[in-house]
Amino acid sequence: MHYDRIPYLVAYNNDSGVRDVYGGLADIVVLECYHLKPDTPSDTAVVFMHPIGGGAYLPMVHALARAGQHVVYANSRFRGTDSSLTMEKVVQDLGAVISDAKNRLGYSKIVLAGWSGGGSLSLFYQQQAQNPTVTSSPAGDGPDLTKLGLIPADGVMLLAAHISRHGTLTEWLDASILDESDPSKRDPELDLYNPDNPNQPPYSPEFLERYRQAQIDRNRRITKWVKEKLAELAAEGRGDEEYCFVVHGTMADPRWLDQTVDPNDRAPGSCYLGDPRVVNNSPVGLGRFCSLRSWLSQWSYDDAGGDGLECGRDVAVPTLVIGNLADDACTPSHTRRLFEAIGHPDKEIHEIPDANHYYTGPAQRETLRKAVSLITDWLARHGLSGRADD
């Protein structure tokens, strides 16, 4: 089906004390959006947003438009960088996009399409739109989500999604690092990439339990330091200032080296960013460059609010969960934990054999077709198919 791809902007006043991202206008939040509009009329928009964007050219986005669905893909203000990202501000951005889709574009129904990291974002948004309770970020800054008038969606789709940014980072943290200021100081028995480590794949249950706890402990040590640093700045009369830091070793998940850990059809020894040993210290690694407030909002194991498992319990609309069984980013345990967490009784789950995270590559055409068919069928059965006369 033919569709038009229309770029547009959603802009609103920036109420942050300082500029959140480099470039653009300081007083205005500008969100880059794309409206994929098929020839067939529709009263429903499928809305995608990922915390750091970058998905406007995803195969899924365009395949849904070709199937007749009206799609809005929107980038948050943090497009391409998460060093200062706070999830509460991303929720605010998503709310502005949904308000625009209803009030300007004229859609009466909204379906949130939570792709990858957009899954927990969609659940966080929907929870707060239904019953807003969050009055600030974990660091005590704005926005107050109870005052934004967020519009609830009519349905939620979780597509190749993970449980949360903080949960995912914690599962990927290099547990061997003992000193955040000197990542060469490591526990050799926890260093996955040390050939002399006596613990090698397939990993024992005892090692995995020890490793997972060490990952959580490391996250909590960073969080403790972050809170101490914020308190130190406040005590010096500099409470409005920030402090930036590097998180070393963020792609050391045993599942990338051991196919028996959270098994699926992914290629062993790789992750969605490439060789995990290299990605572990790559500049594009998850959460590599961070700020104090951002850490608490998106990466802290105990403080971050955008938790798909917690937010999912409050979702009060039909929810579709799709997992890809060759996914080397969001593996089956995440898909299944999200499905189990959804509190609404009208929920269903599908897993697509051989599908990778992005449906990229010639061999993925059939898996993409299967996913679009499942989505189209679910939307139609719930009166959300995009046809104005449904």
Side-chain angles (χ1 to χ4, degrees):
M1 178 179 294
H2 174 266
Y3 64 91
D4 293 321
R5 185 175 182 278
I6 307 165
Y8 68 101
L9 302 176
V10 171
Y12 64 96
N13 289 334
N14 183 8
D15 54 9
S16 300
V18 295
R19 188 178 300 191
D20 295 305
V21 293
Y22 183 75
L25 302 174
D27 298 331
I28 301 176
V29 174
V30 179
L31 310 175
E32 298 175 341
C33 305
Y34 300 88
H35 186 194
L36 281 62
K37 186 177 181 182
D39 293 335
T40 306
S42 171
D43 64 357
T44 302
V46 176
V47 177
F48 286 81
M49 180 179 280
H50 185 282
I52 61 168
Y57 299 95
L58 284 172
M60 174 60 74
V61 171
H62 292 267
L64 286 175
R66 286 194 296 271
Q69 308 302 326
H70 286 228
V71 177
V72 169
Y73 188 95
N75 289 316
S76 80
R77 73 184 76 180
F78 301 103
R79 168 71 175 96
T81 179
D82 57 19
S83 58
S84 64
L85 185 151
T86 56
M87 290 297 292
E88 292 74 20
K89 289 180 180 179
V90 180
V91 168
Q92 182 180 24
D93 291 349
L94 181 52
V97 170
I98 290 174
S99 177
D100 180 76
K102 292 181 75 78
N103 297 323
R104 186 181 65 83
L105 297 180
Y107 293 106
S108 60
K109 300 175 184 177
I110 299 293
V111 177
L112 286 172
W115 182 278
S116 191
S120 53
L121 166 62
S122 296
L123 294 174
F124 189 22
Y125 174 88
Q126 184 67 11
Q127 179 202 53
Q128 292 302 305
Q130 292 172 174
N131 180 30
T133 58
V134 173
T135 57
S136 72
S137 73
D141 308 274
D144 183 343
L145 302 185
T146 68
K147 297 180 178 180
L148 298 183
L150 301 173
I151 302 171
D154 301 281
V156 175
M157 301 190 299
L158 304 177
L159 311 175
H162 59 61
I163 56 170
S164 65
R165 289 176 75 74
H166 56 279
T168 298
L169 175 71
T170 303
E171 291 183 5
W172 293 0
L173 277 177
D174 190 332
S176 72
I177 293 177
L178 302 175
D179 185 342
E180 296 301 325
S181 64
D182 183 0
S184 67
K185 295 180 180 178
R186 296 171 178 261
D187 182 335
E189 292 190 0
L190 293 178
D191 189 349
L192 300 185
Y193 304 120
N194 181 355
D196 296 327
N197 184 345
N199 300 291
Q200 295 292 330
Y203 299 115
S204 69
E206 293 77 17
F207 172 76
L208 289 172
E209 181 179 0
R210 177 188 172 192
Y211 192 88
R212 293 304 189 197
Q213 186 59 53
Q215 291 177 306
I216 295 171
D217 292 345
R218 184 183 171 206
N219 185 296
R220 286 173 170 162
R221 288 197 303 270
I222 297 173
T223 296
K224 180 175 181 292
W225 173 83
V226 164
K227 291 181 176 179
E228 290 172 350
K229 194 69 178 177
L230 282 169
E232 177 185 311
L233 290 172
E236 295 173 355
R238 301 163 57 198
D240 58 345
E241 293 187 28
E242 257 292 2
Y243 188 92
C244 298
F245 59 99
V246 175
V247 182
H248 300 278
T250 61
M251 190 55 79
D253 190 331
R255 76 188 69 185
W256 306 136
L257 304 182
D258 185 350
Q259 195 76 356
T260 67
V261 179
D262 203 358
N264 67 359
D265 300 326
R266 66 187 182 272
S270 66
C271 69
Y272 79 112
L273 290 175
D275 182 342
R277 180 187 61 82
V278 176
V279 177
N280 196 37
N281 293 300
S282 164
V284 299
L286 203 67
R288 178 70 72 243
F289 306 104
C290 207
S291 57
L292 303 173
R293 290 168 175 81
S294 179
W295 174 269
L296 293 181
S297 177
Q298 66 173 328
W299 302 127
S300 172
Y301 186 79
D302 298 305
D303 298 276
D307 191 309
L309 303 183
E310 294 185 6
C311 298
R313 301 187 187 102
D314 298 327
V315 169
V317 295
T319 303
L320 171 67
V321 181
I322 291 182
N324 295 343
L325 289 180
D327 200 323
D328 54 4
C330 302
T331 43
S333 67
H334 284 250
T335 303
R336 295 163 191 171
R337 280 183 282 172
L338 283 171
F339 175 74
E340 292 167 2
I342 298 299
H344 194 268
D346 188 348
K347 62 179 182 178
E348 60 186 76
I349 183 172
H350 299 274
E351 294 180 311
I352 303 176
D354 302 318
N356 63 30
H357 190 58
Y358 296 108
Y359 302 103
T360 51
Q364 292 293 308
R365 292 177 181 174
E366 179 58 26
T367 62
L368 178 60
R369 185 203 64 77
K370 175 66 173 176
V372 171
S373 176
L374 290 169
I375 292 169
T376 300
D377 174 68
W378 181 83
L379 290 170
R381 285 188 283 110
H382 289 86
L384 301 168
S385 66
R387 302 295 191 271
D389 56 354
D390 276 356

